[in-house]
Amino acid sequence: MGATAGTPGLLARHGFEAMASPCGIVVAGSPERVARSAIVAAEAEVRRIEQKFSRYRADTIVGRINAQAGGTPVACDAETLHLIGYADTLYRASEGLFDVTSGILRRAWDFRKAVLPTPQQLEPLLALVGWDQVERDGHRLRLPRAGMEVDFGGFGKEYAADRAAGVLIEKGIRHAIVNLGGDVRCVGTQPDGSPWQIGIQNPRDPNSNIASIPLSHGGIATSGDSERYFDLDGVRYCHILNPQTGMPVRYWRSVSIAAPLAIAAGSYSTIAMLMEERAKDWLDSSGLGYLLVGPDGAITKRDAPSA
Amino acid sequence: MKFIRLGSLLLALGAAAGCSSLTPVQPWEKGNLARPEMTFESNVLEEKFVEHIYGSKENASGGNGVGGGGCGCN
Amino acid sequence: MNFLPEQHEAAELMPDADHRSSGRGLGGAILLAAMALPGLMPAAHAENAPESAEIGIRYLDYKDSSRMLDGSGTAGAYAFGNPGVQDRVKVHAPSVNFLLPFAGSWSLAGSLVSDSVSGSSPRYYNSAPTRYFSEHRTAGDWKFTRYFARSSYAVTFVHSDEHDYSSRALAGTATFASDDNNTTWTVGGGYSRDKITPSGGGSDPVTGNSFSLERKYGRDFMLGLTQVLTPTDIVQSNITYAQGRGYFSDPYKTFDYRPRERNQFAWLTRWNHFIEDGPGLVKGTTFKASYRYYQDTWGVKAHTLSGEWIKPLADGWTVTPLLRFSDQGSARFYLDPDPTQPGFPPNAFWTPTAGVYQSADARLSAFGAVTYGGRISKKLGDGWTADFRGELYEQRGSWRLVGQGSPGLDPFKARFLQVGLTKKF
């Protein structure tokens, strides 16, 4: 309340690679020195999250939880406990479709080869999937069977985008946009009050956009079937897998959601992909703005009420 | 006495604001409120001049701040 | 299920999965859970501190008139031998102003104005022999503010100097905002000292003693509340109370004898409303309204209502029409012109008595006044903005709505123009 517009014309941009994606932070309306220092802190926060929750390293919290599957419970810090609580909410809100233990199913799918896995390959993996089996006791977590894994990759990028934006706000930045591989969160509007314009990639043509969505607060996240996939006999098999069948979802080409937080936008878009044709009614009852690309390429758009 | 009655009106307004039945406005909904024309501080200087004119041609003044001195304007 | 107490606590924050969205469509359980994650939406550091420095220049041009009617002895005709003479005061006031934020949570703001006032001012009412004058006034104000995340503290120093009047005032204000920044309280207090040294000296109307210096002291207090009501509505309500002691009379007006004390109360309420949706003409425009009630111990009660409508146009232009209406009752000791003594102040044949106050200053009469005009501004690029404001003002006894207007006074008219140029860094 009482904020005045920043100075138009001042712009600081920084591109970098993190979480296996091209990332960018734009800060507008602040003097160069202030903007640069805030961007450095925001990038550092993204890298901190990337390293803390990496499943590739044995010494991270996720690495230790996975290494101790079937063994002793692992003590978690406050941030991890919050994200575990959030993962639990997503599991229940999606009726079990969004499951952070379903990452091991990727072992059955090699998207560089157009080969479908056999039931013999999928069954043992499906037996190790199930968030409802995970044991939580106070601040400790235990995966009951060896071979089970948790993975926060389903909302890691969006969480990092929100945390990076939080760092920018604490540094006094009022007009900025954080883009981590297509998951976007903004701080304020552009300095002159106009919204940021976010391009939504065509799921069948990465070089073109199908829409430009004005964003004046919050974030936009997109889930789609063209991130990692192969096509076989005219059917697309994408990287978003149903945790109960182990098979890719096969309805929406892409789902973009606008929400007050990027992590919420990302969770809604992923769950919408998982819900397949049931998603539209579910999204309508959420009240959020969305842009859906259907199986035939048809676009359905809904503006959020206070956009 | 009238001053006290009217002063308690303001406190009542404050109490109403505190236990407002309106849903509190969230930070991400404040984009329009941040526009300069929607604040109460956007034309302070212009209005200061105009209030100075009214102060010397009318008898009523005040309501917007403290610590203004006087002048011999007539 | 292995859910434990912490989980149940979290569950209370989140409604069922099929909970319908709120009236503003915020989404359901997932969004609420996301909002519970720390660090994603922190309170902005020193949220109200200005972001950029600013300097500006401004020029005010003011002219008023209250034409005398030709002498005929009827009510309202005080021609005293000079039919048709136009009484007119002209003011030219260039000024500079600046705002300088520094160290992230401090700011210094200041302005300096140099008024050149000339013209003629009536000795009584607004249509009588006049005093011709030409004066110069220099005034400035300086405000030093410290900002915190949810509060701010400021000290303001104001000064004004002209050859027969000088004033100094010091005030402190503080603002306190709620955690959600939707409610802000403002408190303030100030103290002022004025010195009056009329040219040619003044004289006490009761004793006849002359004086060269008089003083006036003031204390004032303010309590205000600003409340965000909806994403497009914000309202502010302020109460101010001022106590003044000292010399209030006008030494240049004939037999002007006012009390040495005046307490003033004002209650101002303002409302800003942004029109988000609607026909193209009103979409994206802002409507602002304000009402002030005023009352003082001289018996004056006044109501002031004003409104403006801000319409942004293409290419950085903005146009704002505005309208103001003010209704004022007369001071207890204001004396209407005496129709049986045309051309003379009504107290010309009385002996002023101690404690029996009187004034023939039209400013203390009962009237209704209307201002209409507008403002145009243009963003020139690179942080420059130019603006122009023009207003027409008229004050008439017969325009009073709430009660009886003072009789026998000529309509008073004025026009004021302002032109300004500011640069933001």
Side-chain angles (χ1 to χ4, degrees):
Chain A
M1 204 164 61
T4 56
T7 308
L10 292 178
L11 202 70
R13 290 175 189 277
H14 175 62
F16 58 100
E17 184 91 5
M19 298 179 156
S21 313
C23 302
I25 299 178
V26 174
V27 169
S30 293
E32 170 97 22
R33 218 170 17 91
V34 172
R36 288 276 150 217
S37 133
I39 287 173
V40 163
E43 181 187 345
E45 175 67 4
V46 173
R47 298 210 183 278
R48 178 193 74 82
I49 291 168
E50 182 182 29
Q51 283 160 30
K52 177 172 177 182
F53 296 104
S54 166
R55 57 186 164 81
Y56 300 112
R57 294 162 53 157
D59 58 345
T60 65
I61 185 69
V62 169
R64 277 183 285 125
I65 290 171
N66 294 346
Q68 290 292 324
T72 53
V74 176
C76 301
D77 64 288
E79 184 182 25
T80 307
L81 287 172
H82 272 112
L83 291 176
I84 285 169
Y86 185 67
D88 185 71
T89 306
L90 295 182
Y91 180 82
R92 290 188 292 149
S94 65
E95 291 159 358
L97 288 173
F98 189 104
D99 189 326
V100 295
T101 63
S102 64
I104 52 166
L105 294 169
R106 83 186 88 79
R107 294 186 205 152
W109 291 88
D110 180 353
F111 292 99
R112 288 163 296 176
K113 300 186 207 143
V115 175
L116 296 176
T118 64
Q120 290 75 18
Q121 286 170 294
L122 282 175
E123 267 172 38
L125 294 171
L126 286 167
L128 293 173
V129 172
W131 174 258
D132 52 342
Q133 302 164 40
V134 169
E135 292 164 10
R136 291 163 58 196
D137 175 9
H139 63 282
R140 276 195 261 265
L141 188 85
R142 178 176 182 263
L143 302 172
R145 284 203 294 283
M148 287 183 80
E149 283 182 13
V150 287
D151 174 11
F152 292 147
F155 48 73
K157 254 195 294 171
E158 298 91 332
Y159 175 64
D162 282 327
R163 290 282 302 200
V167 165
L168 294 175
I169 293 171
E170 278 180 345
K171 296 281 180 197
I173 303 298
R174 309 281 175 76
H175 312 278
I177 193 132
V178 175
N179 184 337
L180 304 183
D183 295 326
V184 173
R185 161 78 191 279
C186 71
V187 175
T189 57
Q190 298 201 53
D192 62 0
S194 58
W196 306 92
Q197 294 292 338
I198 310 299
I200 303 298
Q201 197 181 71
N202 185 336
R204 291 294 177 267
D205 178 8
N207 295 321
S208 75
N209 286 344
I210 46 167
S212 177
I213 299 184
L215 186 69
S216 57
H217 55 256
I220 293 180
T222 305
S223 287
D225 68 0
S226 47
E227 216 173 300
R228 267 173 299 139
Y229 66 95
F230 63 82
D231 291 318
L232 183 64
D233 299 330
V235 174
R236 173 155 298 202
Y237 297 88
C238 72
H239 76 290
I240 299 177
L241 308 172
N242 182 305
Q244 282 138 19
T245 65
M247 298 300 288
V249 292
R250 258 213 291 189
Y251 193 76
W252 303 104
R253 290 190 182 178
S254 83
V255 174
S256 302
I257 306 285
L261 289 171
I263 192 175
S267 306
Y268 275 102
S269 66
T270 306
I271 294 174
M273 289 291 293
L274 288 161
M275 282 188 160
E276 295 177 295
E277 59 277 343
R278 286 188 298 131
K280 187 166 180 308
D281 287 340
W282 182 72
L283 288 175
D284 280 333
S285 75
S286 78
L288 298 175
Y290 57 71
L291 188 143
L292 309 167
V293 183
D296 50 352
I299 295 175
T300 313
K301 195 162 172 281
R302 188 180 103 130
D303 288 326
S306 61
Chain B
M1 255 354 247
K2 261 221 181 103
F3 294 174
I4 297 171
R5 211 189 311 148
L6 289 161
S8 51
L9 250 167
L10 182 65
L11 291 172
L13 227 172
C19 44
S20 172
S21 58
L22 298 164
T23 327
V25 177
Q26 303 296 332
W28 61 83
E29 297 177 300
K30 293 192 182 171
N32 287 321
L33 294 169
R35 289 166 183 267
E37 63 266 25
M38 276 294 284
T39 65
F40 292 110
E41 295 102 39
S42 52
N43 291 333
V44 167
L45 270 160
E46 271 178 35
E47 281 162 15
K48 201 162 61 160
F49 274 109
V50 165
E51 282 306 312
H52 181 86
I53 291 170
Y54 290 132
S56 50
K57 296 301 166 195
E58 300 178 352
N59 192 55
S61 63
N64 201 15
V66 284
C71 71
C73 311
N74 42 10
Chain C
M1 294 294 187
N2 294 308
F3 298 121
L4 293 157
E6 294 90 72
Q7 192 55 38
H8 281 297
E9 227 178 297
E12 264 151 60
L13 287 174
M14 299 178 278
D16 309 319
D18 61 348
H19 169 78
R20 295 218 77 84
S21 56
S22 73
R24 298 214 191 90
L26 297 183
I30 293 174
L31 180 58
L32 286 173
M35 282 160 59
L37 297 171
L40 306 188
M41 283 166 42
H45 172 68
E47 205 168 283
N48 296 316
E51 295 178 0
S52 50
E54 233 178 89
I55 56 165
I57 54 173
R58 181 162 294 273
Y59 178 73
L60 166 77
D61 191 288
Y62 166 97
K63 196 152 76 167
D64 70 30
S65 66
S66 63
R67 215 158 41 85
M68 277 200 290
L69 304 174
D70 49 20
S72 66
T74 55
Y78 289 88
F80 208 63
N82 283 313
V85 167
Q86 305 234 346
D87 284 324
R88 190 176 289 156
V89 169
K90 279 190 261 226
V91 179
H92 302 292
S95 69
V96 293
N97 63 276
F98 72 90
L99 168 63
L100 188 64
F102 53 95
S105 19
W106 302 81
S107 75
L108 178 64
S111 74
L112 256 165
V113 64
S114 173
D115 286 356
S116 297
V117 189
S118 65
S120 51
S121 180
R123 294 256 180 219
Y124 43 90
Y125 304 120
N126 58 3
S127 45
T130 59
R131 174 178 75 93
Y132 294 92
F133 64 95
S134 174
E135 271 169 27
H136 193 79
R137 183 179 83 106
T138 308
D141 61 88
W142 313 91
K143 184 169 180 180
F144 190 59
T145 313
R146 167 76 158 115
Y147 300 90
F148 295 90
R150 288 282 170 264
S151 60
S152 71
Y153 302 88
V155 169
T156 310
F157 175 61
V158 177
H159 56 90
S160 170
D161 289 283
E162 50 203 296
H163 81 278
D164 57 358
Y165 200 106
S166 115
S167 167
R168 302 278 180 273
L170 190 66
T173 47
T175 67
F176 304 100
S178 60
D179 280 339
D180 62 7
N181 221 22
N182 285 338
T183 308
T184 306
W185 288 94
T186 307
V187 290
Y191 182 67
S192 65
R193 296 163 65 110
D194 297 357
K195 263 198 316 214
I196 302 124
T197 50
S199 42
S203 69
D204 183 306
V206 176
T207 64
N209 295 338
S210 61
F211 67 86
S212 56
L213 165 69
E214 266 285 7
R215 292 185 189 274
K216 187 162 82 177
Y217 301 97
R219 273 197 300 212
D220 55 344
F221 312 97
M222 173 171 126
L223 177 64
L225 173 67
T226 308
Q227 177 70 42
V228 168
L229 295 176
T230 74
T232 52
D233 292 275
I234 183 171
V235 105
Q236 182 179 92
S237 200
N238 303 330
I239 282 184
T240 57
Y241 182 65
Q243 290 178 314
R245 305 280 180 276
Y247 185 76
F248 282 96
S249 310
D250 185 331
Y252 304 118
K253 289 203 164 12
T254 313
F255 300 128
D256 192 281
Y257 176 39
R258 303 186 200 184
R260 291 193 71 89
E261 186 175 310
R262 180 177 66 172
N263 296 341
Q264 302 170 289
F265 170 85
W267 181 25
L268 170 71
T269 300
R270 315 195 261 189
W271 174 49
N272 293 352
H273 174 69
F274 179 74
I275 302 175
E276 244 184 325
D277 262 308
L281 180 67
V282 296
K283 184 172 168 156
T285 64
T286 301
F287 177 67
K288 297 167 90 148
S290 83
Y291 167 72
R292 176 185 63 199
Y293 173 73
Y294 169 93
Q295 179 180 308
D296 67 20
T297 50
W298 287 0
V300 177
K301 289 194 179 61
H303 306 268
T304 310
L305 188 64
S306 72
E308 61 184 59
W309 180 56
I310 302 164
K311 166 102 182 125
L313 302 167
D315 290 328
W317 288 94
T318 305
V319 72
T320 306
L322 52 92
L323 194 60
R324 173 188 188 270
F325 179 70
S326 190
D327 185 294
Q328 168 175 306
S330 57
R332 210 174 289 118
F333 52 85
Y334 169 78
L335 296 168
D336 291 325
D338 183 347
T340 68
Q341 301 288 347
F344 287 88
N347 46 19
F349 303 109
W350 305 353
T351 314
T353 316
V356 180
Y357 305 110
Q358 62 196 26
S359 176
D361 188 343
R363 193 165 141 189
L364 295 173
S365 66
F367 57 77
V370 172
T371 313
Y372 60 93
R375 182 180 187 269
I376 298 180
S377 73
K378 165 115 171 98
K379 290 198 183 130
L380 304 168
D382 213 26
W384 290 93
T385 308
D387 62 84
F388 170 78
R389 179 169 172 148
E391 293 164 270
L392 286 170
Y393 175 81
E394 187 166 337
Q395 199 184 86
R396 284 199 205 192
S398 56
W399 282 358
R400 184 145 194 246
L401 293 180
V402 175
Q404 275 289 96
S406 294
L409 292 180
D410 217 35
F412 170 81
K413 294 185 210 203
R415 68 120 181 84
F416 19 111
L417 310 169
Q418 290 188 53
V419 127
L421 189 63
T422 44
K423 162 87 171 141
K424 273 193 174 162
F425 296 91

